[in-house]
Amino acid sequence: MSNITVCARFRPLSSKEKTNFGNSVCIRGIDSETFIFKDEKEEEFKFCFDRVFYENSEQVDVYEFLALPIIRDAVNAINGTIITYGQTGAGKTYSMEGPDILESDEHQKGLLQRAVNGLFECIKSSEESVKYTLKFSMVEIYMEKVRDLLDLSKDNIQIKESRVQGILLSGVTEISISDPAEAMQSLSSGIANRAVGETQMNMASSRSHCIYIFTVQQELNRVKRVKEGKFVLVDLAGSEKVEKTGAEGKVLEEAKTINKSLSALGNVINALTCSPGKANHIPYRDSKLTRILQDALGGNSRTALLCCCSPSSSNAPESLSTLRFGTRAKHIKASPRANSREENSARDHGASYATKVESSERILHQLRERLDFEDVKLLEELFTLEGIFFEPNSVEDLELAYEDVTFRTISSLKQAVEELTCTVEELNTENKVLKSRMAAAQRIDVLLKETEENGNASFLHKISDLRKLASVVWPFSVVKILKSKL
Ligand SMILES: Nc1ncnc2c1ncn2[C@@H]1O[C@H](COP(=O)(O)OP(=O)(O)OP(=O)(O)O)[C@@H](O)[C@H]1O
């Protein structure tokens, strides 16, 4: 297990900072990993990260240190994620896209443009016998909803989890890209759909968390195996102190939602680093952001965090909080592994029944390794009952079928419980009626006795009261007795 890579980046002072607060900066660099930070009260803190990118650092430096190793891994089916974090206006989007996704010059190009080229270059220099497919998706989390930036009609994408593929965005648009130019066009149209607004800190502030997903799929024909690596770039919306930025109305609502999800991210990081080795609850489900980043933070991914900061003393509190976030994140352990899926091309090639049985056996064997004996037995029985164990083509097929069967079983159990509840209610009502009839019958007995003792004077009166009270339909035998008594 390795720690996630954490870097800090300080952008140059903005002209607004220079004009309003002068040239005072809050950092003093020591080397490429260490610097001294001075807070508002002139107190000094020493920070140490995997790499520090000072004001004069180049976009290419950030790419080569942070992204290139992760891109190489993604092409080898190891998932990787890069997250930019920091105060609004600190340089997250600039690091990701440069000043403009399509128009930036070579020197200003951000991680995205370089990553697209890097992915194609890595693929080009890979083994020729392997067939690569590169797919791209892009979503944003805006006001706690996941929106598909390649198809705006999908404005509430659901997050699902598969045991094999991890966290999935259900129904998200995935386009195949065959060259860098095509990729850049898709990127640019997705970026144009992003929620951007003007804040006091930033003329073009991202009001959403943006997630770029590149999936590198490789088909190893010899062994009928598909390997898949995901390279994910996350441009977080900036944290902001609303009382300082004077946000109002829509901007205020957006800021509150952004801050809430960033604090959920902080809580997940705290939980992941608090009690090492202890199986504590990690609150991934507290926000869409943490749920989507679940694999990147707690599981099968090589992850890097770029903490973007303003160097201005006027923003020292926000920068200090960003750097402390980075320090905490540094303690997260990641354990990425190569993802591979065995492919059964039986359906495609009309394989014999024997091959299918072999494949089923192999899948069951794999499942057996993951599940308890009891679970496997139950699964076998359920599949047989449901008649769906005829053509499983992959572990995923089987897992989906398993989920389906579990869902159906739970639904039918729920239905049975509902039916039983109805029956209980009916029986209770019937019971009440029977009890009241019994009470009425007992009172009739008493009345009969009273009538015998006192004569018939009050009898008719009482009898009519009783009829009204209990809505009793007199049995024929009782009527006969009554008549004889009257
Ligand atoms: N390293 C840098 N070199 C030059 N200019 C930069 C650098 N980083 C950021 N800037 C400039 O600073 C401004 C704010 O940067 P950016 O939009 O990237 O901030 P952000 O962190 O993404 O903010 P938000 O969270 O509000 O979207 C932009 O005008 C950008 O061009």
Side-chain angles (χ1 to χ4, degrees):
M1 277 218 252
S2 62
N3 289 83
I4 75 169
T5 303
V6 180
C7 301
R9 184 176 198 188
F10 293 91
R11 63 160 165 73
L13 280 169
S14 70
S15 48
K16 198 171 175 183
E17 285 167 338
K18 281 186 198 160
T19 315
N20 295 342
F21 308 100
N23 287 341
S24 161
V25 293
C26 56
I27 46 152
R28 192 176 72 247
I30 295 181
D31 57 30
S32 60
E33 288 164 9
T34 319
F35 60 91
I36 303 291
F37 184 92
K38 208 164 26 159
D39 78 359
E40 284 169 307
K41 296 173 201 142
E42 302 284 302
E43 200 179 334
E44 294 196 340
F45 302 88
K46 188 174 171 184
F47 281 97
C48 194
F49 290 111
D50 292 294
R51 183 60 59 94
V52 186
F53 300 103
Y54 295 106
E55 292 153 68
N56 53 0
S57 61
E58 300 284 340
Q59 295 276 67
V60 66
D61 300 337
V62 180
Y63 169 74
E64 283 180 356
F65 185 83
L66 210 70
L68 197 53
I70 296 187
I71 287 174
R72 289 193 182 123
D73 276 352
V75 175
N76 286 315
I78 296 170
N79 294 341
T81 308
I82 299 176
I83 304 168
T84 56
Y85 179 91
Q87 178 194 9
T88 175
K92 300 178 294 295
T93 306
Y94 181 88
S95 301
M96 207 54 103
E97 300 171 16
D100 187 290
I101 191 71
L102 290 181
E103 302 298 328
S104 304
D105 64 32
E106 201 44 48
H107 153 85
Q108 290 176 317
K109 278 182 180 165
L111 288 172
L112 274 166
Q113 297 95 321
R114 293 172 199 274
V116 165
N117 287 332
L119 281 166
F120 280 103
E121 272 165 27
C122 282
I123 288 172
K124 216 164 34 175
S125 59
S126 300
E127 250 185 275
E128 273 182 14
S129 60
V130 181
K131 185 180 163 231
Y132 283 93
T133 313
L134 187 57
K135 290 182 186 160
F136 173 64
S137 303
M138 188 175 166
V139 295
E140 70 174 353
I141 309 173
Y142 178 69
M143 300 298 280
E144 266 313 274
K145 271 193 176 172
V146 183
R147 303 203 308 169
D148 189 332
L149 290 173
L150 300 179
D151 179 354
L152 289 180
S153 68
K154 299 178 187 167
D155 60 359
N156 193 10
I157 298 268
Q158 299 303 303
I159 306 164
K160 301 235 163 106
E161 188 173 4
S162 138
R163 222 175 307 156
V164 178
Q165 288 164 284
I167 295 294
L168 296 170
L169 295 168
S170 176
V172 74
T173 307
E174 236 192 346
I175 49 171
S176 290
I177 42 178
S178 48
D179 60 60
E182 197 183 349
M184 292 316 300
Q185 278 309 325
S186 305
L187 262 169
S188 142
S189 55
I191 286 172
N193 286 332
R194 262 194 93 171
V196 177
E198 187 180 335
T199 65
Q200 279 199 14
M201 284 293 295
N202 191 356
M203 289 279 287
S205 175
S206 315
R207 310 309 289 158
S208 64
H209 307 299
C210 189
I211 300 161
Y212 308 87
I213 305 158
F214 295 91
T215 307
V216 190
Q217 212 171 62
Q218 38 176 309
E219 273 175 54
L220 307 154
N221 287 329
R222 278 174 289 121
V223 282
K224 300 255 179 311
R225 184 182 288 205
V226 173
K227 281 184 171 187
E228 200 174 88
K230 275 196 168 51
F231 174 61
V232 180
L233 288 153
V234 184
D235 182 8
L236 292 178
S239 54
E240 68 186 77
K241 290 205 162 117
V242 286
E243 70 274 19
K244 184 169 172 179
T245 57
E248 288 176 342
K250 184 176 164 224
V251 176
L252 175 64
E253 283 314 305
E254 288 170 345
K256 281 195 213 158
T257 319
I258 293 167
N259 289 350
K260 206 169 149 197
S261 61
L262 291 173
S263 95
L265 178 62
N267 292 341
V268 164
I269 289 180
N270 283 345
L272 282 167
T273 52
C274 261
S275 6
K278 218 169 129 191
N280 55 337
H281 169 68
I282 314 292
Y284 291 115
R285 287 173 188 266
D286 281 4
S287 77
K288 296 271 162 69
L289 175 66
T290 46
R291 187 84 173 114
I292 292 182
L293 291 182
Q294 185 171 329
D295 285 340
L297 297 170
N300 177 24
S301 177
R302 199 174 156 167
T303 300
L305 178 70
L306 183 65
C307 296
C308 298
C309 301
S310 151
S312 170
S313 301
S314 63
N315 285 316
E318 288 84 355
S319 299
L320 185 60
S321 132
T322 299
L323 296 168
R324 285 188 168 145
F325 179 90
T327 306
R328 280 204 312 272
K330 183 87 204 94
H331 294 109
I332 298 179
K333 301 273 182 203
S335 46
R337 57 181 187 274
N339 306 313
S340 90
R341 284 191 278 148
E342 300 239 342
E343 280 263 294
N344 179 4
S345 51
R347 196 158 35 196
D348 304 335
H349 300 105
S352 66
Y353 175 74
T355 322
K356 283 177 189 165
V357 170
E358 270 170 32
S359 132
S360 309
E361 282 301 317
R362 199 184 59 239
I363 292 163
L364 255 188
H365 177 73
Q366 287 184 20
L367 277 173
R368 263 190 200 106
E369 283 179 0
R370 293 185 209 176
L371 296 169
D372 291 341
F373 176 74
E374 290 298 318
D375 291 338
V376 177
K377 288 304 301 164
L378 183 68
L379 210 57
E380 280 173 354
E381 275 167 34
L382 284 171
F383 283 166
T384 314
L385 273 176
E386 295 289 333
I388 52 170
F389 198 42
F390 292 116
E391 270 192 280
N393 288 293
S394 65
V395 175
E396 286 94 288
D397 274 5
L398 208 63
E399 283 185 337
L400 283 175
Y402 168 65
E403 275 169 25
D404 190 35
V405 164
T406 317
F407 178 76
R408 276 193 257 169
T409 311
I410 291 171
S411 301
S412 62
L413 284 174
K414 271 189 187 157
Q415 205 184 334
V417 170
E418 273 168 25
E419 280 168 15
L420 284 174
T421 313
C422 282
T423 313
V424 168
E425 272 170 22
E426 277 168 23
L427 286 172
N428 277 337
T429 318
E430 209 179 312
N431 198 16
K432 264 189 204 158
V433 172
L434 287 173
K435 272 186 181 162
S436 71
R437 281 189 185 168
M438 209 167 96
Q442 280 166 353
R443 285 188 67 186
I444 288 167
D445 271 352
V446 174
L447 278 172
L448 288 175
K449 267 196 188 141
E450 277 179 16
T451 312
E452 269 176 7
E453 286 160 15
N454 308 329
N456 295 334
S458 61
F459 183 74
L460 280 172
H461 185 66
K462 284 183 178 170
I463 274 292
S464 77
D465 276 359
L466 195 62
R467 263 177 179 279
K468 271 187 228 154
L469 201 79
S471 320
V472 173
V473 180
W474 304 123
F476 180 68
S477 56
V478 174
V479 175
K480 219 167 132 188
I481 298 169
L482 287 174
K483 274 188 181 160
S484 73
K485 295 285 173 190
L486 286 167

